[in-house]
Amino acid sequence: MKVSDFMITDVISVTGDTTLKELLKKLVNNKIGGVPVIDEENHLIGMISDGDVLRYIQPKGTTIFDAISLVMVSEKEDFTEKLAYTLDHEVSTIMRKRDLKFVYADEPLERSLRIFSKHHFKKIPVMDRDEKVIGVISRGDIIRFINNELIK
C-alpha cells in the first residue's frame, strides 16, 4: 500500500503571512488540528498545530531569583489581554520550521507509520517529487482504514 492510497488531496493550508486569527478560524471551520504552511509555489515551509497556538498564547508570569530568596513578581498577563495582541501575529512567527517531516505520495505506507510512531505527529504533509504539497495523511485516516477495511 502506498501513501497515495490514504492521503487526503483536498489540502487545507496557510501561508506564512496568515494571521493567528485567520488560522484559528480555518482550524475551527474545518474541524482540524493543524495545517501545512506553504509558500506561493506550494512548497512546504512549516507546520502549525492547535497545540503550537495554545503554547504561544498562554499567559506567562515572571519569576525573579536573587541571591537570598526567590521573589515572585506579579506580572501575570490576563489570557484575554494576551489573546488580544497576539491574534494579529503571523503564523510564520510560531510555525515549526525545522526538522519538518513529510512523505512522498508514491512511498510505502510504512514510512508514514514510522514517522507517526517516532514523532507522535497527528498529520504529515504529502509531497510530489517536485517538492510540492499535494496532500496530507493523518493517523485517523489510517485507523479508519484499518477499522473499515481490515477488521472484519
Side-chain angles (χ1 to χ4, degrees):
M1 292 184 276
K2 302 257 185 234
V3 169
S4 59
D5 298 327
F6 296 86
M7 71 184 206
I8 296 167
T9 56
D10 185 19
V11 182
I12 298 167
S13 60
V14 295
T15 58
D17 61 354
T18 301
T19 66
L20 292 183
K21 183 177 183 178
E22 294 166 331
L23 169 69
L24 290 173
K25 283 182 181 181
K26 192 169 275 204
L27 295 179
V28 170
N29 291 340
N30 292 286
K31 299 178 182 169
I32 55 176
V35 293
V37 184
I38 58 171
D39 66 13
E40 60 280 345
E41 295 168 358
N42 224 34
H43 294 112
L44 182 68
I45 60 169
M47 287 293 292
I48 190 156
S49 71
D50 49 8
D52 297 325
V53 174
L54 291 177
R55 283 185 290 278
Y56 186 70
I57 64 175
Q58 173 188 345
K60 294 175 177 56
T62 303
T63 304
I64 299 175
F65 296 90
D66 73 10
I68 299 170
S69 63
L70 170 67
V71 179
M72 292 297 290
V73 178
S74 182
E75 291 183 16
K76 285 194 171 186
E77 297 174 284
D78 178 75
F79 175 71
T80 53
E81 290 172 2
K82 176 87 184 252
L83 193 58
Y85 73 82
T86 57
L87 284 178
D88 289 328
H89 291 186
E90 293 184 350
V91 165
S92 61
T93 61
I94 65 170
M95 70 184 187
R96 189 174 337 110
K97 302 170 197 158
R98 293 189 300 207
D99 199 28
L100 297 174
K101 302 295 182 210
F102 63 87
V103 291
Y104 292 108
D106 59 358
E107 287 186 298
L109 178 64
E110 289 77 12
R111 173 134 160 68
S112 300
L113 296 175
R114 283 194 300 276
I115 293 171
F116 284 130
S117 298
K118 183 175 181 181
H119 299 283
H120 306 283
F121 294 150
K122 294 179 183 177
K123 187 176 293 192
I124 305 169
V126 179
M127 314 279 253
D128 65 15
R129 292 296 174 167
D130 293 326
E131 305 293 322
K132 294 185 180 190
V133 177
I134 60 167
V136 292
I137 187 168
S138 73
R139 295 185 311 197
D141 298 329
I142 297 169
I143 295 299
R144 272 187 292 285
F145 176 79
I146 291 169
N147 184 63
N148 296 339
E149 303 296 327
L150 300 180
I151 299 176
K152 302 288 179 183

